[in-house]
Amino acid sequence: IRIEWWLNEYFIFSDASFDPKSKRGITAFLILSASQWKKNAEDCNFDIQTKQIDGENIARLEFISAITAFEEWKIHFQTVETSVQITLITDCKALENLLKRRKRLERTQFISQSKGEVLANADLYQEFLTLFDELQPEILWVKGHSPAKNRSDFQKVFSSVDKAARNLLRKSWVSEIHL
């Protein structure tokens, strides 16, 4: 997908990092207006929001990060009188694929057809879809952890969000060891 970034008004970069051993996770997101991006594009010096969340898994953390970012956008940027174009940038295929699975999931009321049980992430799927319907964002999947020389503008900014999550996860792990 080629998105002309200057035509969109807001960009939300969302990622998560998870350590399965400690069950510790970090969500990270960045909300940028087109003008903020243009102003800070060269140095990638952005105010990335992070949060430690324990006891989850990487799939849940990716959804929690996107949901939190959407909610934060609504609090700080949403206005009643205007509609804007939002683009969610993520390396999580599950977020992108949820829209393809939506009709079937809603038809089966988020119940697994093989087990007859509510899907493990049904709560987050429903919350994400509610926000998706309200905000109507475009979802752009980017390949995470790509070589720096091959990164698009989106991947360059996404990489800084990814690094923030991974670095904070490492720091929280190291500080726990030294207690």
Side-chain angles (χ1 to χ4, degrees):
I1 298 175
R2 175 146 170 79
I3 298 176
E4 305 299 341
W5 66 268
W6 57 86
L7 298 177
N8 290 301
E9 292 168 312
Y10 288 94
F11 299 89
I12 298 174
F13 296 83
S14 175
D15 197 25
S17 192
F18 181 71
D19 175 43
K21 261 187 191 173
S22 66
K23 298 272 190 229
R24 174 162 294 152
I26 303 293
T27 61
F29 67 87
L30 170 65
I31 302 171
L32 287 178
S33 67
S35 61
Q36 287 172 309
W37 186 350
K38 190 174 184 179
K39 190 167 89 175
N40 297 325
E42 290 305 311
D43 59 9
C44 280
N45 185 19
F46 301 113
D47 184 22
I48 298 167
Q49 305 299 308
T50 58
K51 184 176 181 183
Q52 181 176 319
I53 300 175
D54 296 338
E56 297 290 352
N57 60 50
I58 189 62
R60 288 187 65 80
L61 287 171
E62 292 279 5
F63 275 91
I64 289 168
S65 182
I67 289 165
T68 304
F70 283 155
E71 289 170 343
E72 285 295 309
W73 183 88
K74 286 174 57 177
I75 291 167
H76 298 288
F77 301 102
Q78 187 174 41
T79 59
V80 178
E81 61 276 352
T82 58
S83 65
V84 297
Q85 177 59 49
I86 299 169
T87 302
L88 172 67
I89 298 97
T90 180
D91 67 347
C92 177
K93 275 290 192 184
L95 280 166
E96 181 187 46
N97 290 335
L98 182 63
L99 300 176
K100 296 172 187 169
R101 301 171 51 206
R102 181 178 191 166
K103 284 187 181 181
R104 184 178 54 81
L105 290 171
E106 289 176 338
R107 187 177 62 248
T108 62
Q109 298 179 331
F110 296 88
I111 294 176
S112 166
Q113 295 187 348
S114 61
K115 295 181 182 178
E117 300 171 357
V118 175
L119 295 171
N121 296 325
D123 58 330
L124 296 175
Y125 294 166
Q126 291 168 322
E127 194 172 352
F128 179 83
L129 291 170
T130 298
L131 287 164
F132 179 86
D133 290 345
E134 181 181 348
L135 301 177
Q136 296 291 302
E138 184 167 358
I139 298 178
L140 174 63
W141 179 83
V142 295
K143 183 177 182 352
H145 311 282
S146 59
K149 64 180 179 163
N150 298 335
R151 290 182 186 155
S152 69
D153 291 341
F154 291 106
Q155 287 170 314
K156 288 174 187 171
V157 177
F158 181 83
S159 177
S160 64
V161 175
D162 174 63
K163 282 180 188 169
R166 284 187 287 128
N167 288 343
L168 187 56
L169 184 62
R170 282 188 199 111
K171 283 180 188 173
S172 69
W173 217 92
V174 169
S175 66
E176 185 177 280
I177 291 171
H178 293 293
L179 289 177

